[in-house]
Amino acid sequence: MLSEKPRVRFAPSPTGYLHVGGLRTALYNYLYAKKNDGKFILRIEDTDKNRYVEGAMENLIETLKWIGLDYNEGPFINGNFGPYIQSQRLNIYRKYADELIEKGKAYHCFCTAERLENLRVEQKKLKLPQAMYDKHCLKLTQDEIKENLEKQIPHVIRLNVDKKGKVVFDDIIRDRVEFDCSTIDDQVLIKSDGYPTYHLANVIDDHLMKITHVIRGEEWLSSTPKHILLYDYFGWEKPIFAHLPLLLNPDKSKLSKRQGDVAVEDYRDKGYLKEAIINFIALLGWSGKDNKEFFMLDELIKEFSLEKVHKAGAVFNIEKLNWLNSEHIKNKSSEDILTLLKKEMINSKFKSENYSDFYLIKVIEIMKERITFIKDYITLSPYFFEKPEDYDKSVIDKRWESDTPEHLHKLIANYVKLEHLNKEQLEITLKNTAEELEIGTGKLIHPVRLAVSGIGVGPGLYEILEILGKDEVITRIKKAIEKIKQS
Ligand code: GLU
């Protein structure tokens, strides 16, 4: 009997990076395990030697760790069912393949690549729906097999699919799924290099690791009948299956590198918060109550259920990810953002040591509603970190008139007199100056904004002025008068 508490696994074949689809699979497995007090297992499926990439596993584990999906059993932490890296379990697969041969459920196949190719071409000519092995080697006698093996003729081990009947299983997401056995190929289980194929290793490990639920992408659905047959032929209890919907580009094609990044690391490097990535990925195929969209990981754990996963493909919408990133930034305390901002500043020309935490927190708060990424603090409002060197030409053309310098001199004179430079006083003083000059306040507001920030848009002007402080504001206005006059 499989245990009552779920044991689920994320079983990637490391390719060098963590694909967003892989992260979705990992996340749903993780949420299911956490919600149901189960175990989340990481198993590395690295039996395809041709796809080996140096450091790929380490990179994948590091990304999972960064995003916060800690596994209960897996490489480097182990558990009772290890090793959790398939290339370290080769002897296990061989033993079980031999068991299937003994039962007549698998057989040696010595066909050459050339024969298989001819078979494929023949079948294509006959317009068969798919190329399938013709069980040719099943006819070999025990003696012939023995002789071939002694002669070390290259061979594979194939599943001996009974072509009659149907494979039927209930998938939590896709409901009842049926496959005609006549469409199931005599799948290779052990390759000529002695390594198992994905199908054999995957089923054996799911069984030995006591996996209760196989939650994986829809692209594996067509493999499932082969897996079901393997469970049956071994006489093992089957796990419950849940195949997650495909991830799609906005044009509904299958999510591909060509239309954007697919590596989680790329999103991390672009400045997306892990909270936002997790939230976004969770919504790719699942939705919570009342169409709520903002979720923290602990809320996801509470709300997640496999029954609520959709069948239809999920569109990867980058605008939604951007929105979630800004929402998750807003959700953070200013102190937490300060830590992130300081990290971001390491790679910028501004050094956080040159500004007090008090100052930076004020900047953080005033800009919080306007940013999508932490780096936007630097790119959208560099004027909090340095005096503007240039002034937006279109704003000059529209807002800087011949009498603007004179008006600004008057404002400076009034600002100089101020003792406390808070936003209320800055505003009253500006308004009074406009009245004195008999001009509309706009004639001061826009040039002052341009003078202190170099641009025409941003948060409330008086708040900016308060943060910059009296001396800085006056210096900047004077500098603008000088520079704009020359230009
Ligand atoms: N190794 C497969 C992969 O790369 C695992 C599929 C499964 O979960 O069964 O995704």
Side-chain angles (χ1 to χ4, degrees), residues 9-14 25 43-45 51 86 198 202 206 214-217 219-220 227:
R9 82 314 190 260
F10 174 44
S13 303
T25 302
R43 184 174 73 227
I44 302 295
E45 301 208 326
R51 289 175 65 197
Q86 287 190 328
Y198 151 71
N202 185 274
D206 282 347
V214 167
I215 305 167
R216 63 183 169 202
E219 60 274 29
W220 302 103
H227 300 182

Side-chain angles (χ1 to χ4, degrees), residues 30-90:
Y30 174 90
L31 295 175
Y32 190 75
K34 293 286 153 192
K35 164 130 192 190
N36 297 293
D37 203 14
K39 294 272 184 276
F40 173 56
I41 294 141
L42 176 67
R43 184 174 73 227
I44 302 295
E45 301 208 326
D46 59 346
T47 57
D48 189 347
K49 279 198 289 188
N50 299 329
R51 289 175 65 197
Y52 177 77
V53 180
E54 179 83 39
M57 176 179 71
E58 289 75 8
N59 183 56
L60 191 129
I61 291 175
E62 200 214 304
T63 311
L64 279 180
K65 206 168 154 191
W66 170 74
I67 205 118
L69 300 187
D70 297 331
Y71 48 89
N72 304 105
E73 296 170 28
F76 307 120
I77 61 167
N78 282 320
N80 295 331
F81 302 90
Y84 292 88
I85 301 174
Q86 287 190 328
S87 57
Q88 296 173 6
R89 301 169 62 83
L90 298 179

Side-chain angles (χ1 to χ4, degrees), residues 393-405:
K393 175 89 173 61
S394 65
V395 185
I396 298 178
D397 291 347
K398 210 162 143 208
R399 306 288 189 187
W400 197 275
E401 294 168 26
S402 55
D403 45 7
T404 297

